[in-house]
Amino acid sequence: MLGGHALATWANNGVSLGCALLLTPWIIQTLGATTYGVWAFLTQLTGYAGLFEVGMPQAVSKAVARARAGESREQTRAAVSTALAVHLG
């Protein structure tokens, strides 16, 4: 049997698919085909940008936890500022 998390994930996927199928014709009609195409392109572009995280949140979380365990504010600041610099870059 599937666990609660797996069921929630499937439910989320189903609701997302249903919303996309119901709302897409309305959005195309409202925005127009060209504007919808630009909007869809930008949405996909930002989705692909999420792939560039490559484990950064997990690494920062681990580094901050280690620094906090050793009570080193300087290491905590270094981990957070490095992550921020990578994201801004």
Side-chain angles (χ1 to χ4, degrees), residues 15-60:
V15 169
S16 296
L17 178 63
C19 287
L21 290 174
L22 292 174
L23 290 176
T24 300
W26 177 77
I27 293 172
I28 292 172
Q29 183 180 13
T30 303
L31 295 179
T34 303
T35 307
Y36 173 75
V38 171
W39 178 71
F41 173 74
L42 292 175
T43 302
Q44 291 301 312
L45 192 63
T46 58
Y48 283 122
L51 295 175
F52 293 121
E53 287 185 353
V54 291
M56 182 66 70
Q58 294 84 359
V60 171

Side-chain angles (χ1 to χ4, degrees), residues 61-73 75-76:
S61 177
K62 185 176 181 178
V64 168
R66 282 188 178 171
R68 298 274 315 232
E71 296 183 8
S72 173
R73 287 185 167 222
Q75 287 180 346
T76 302

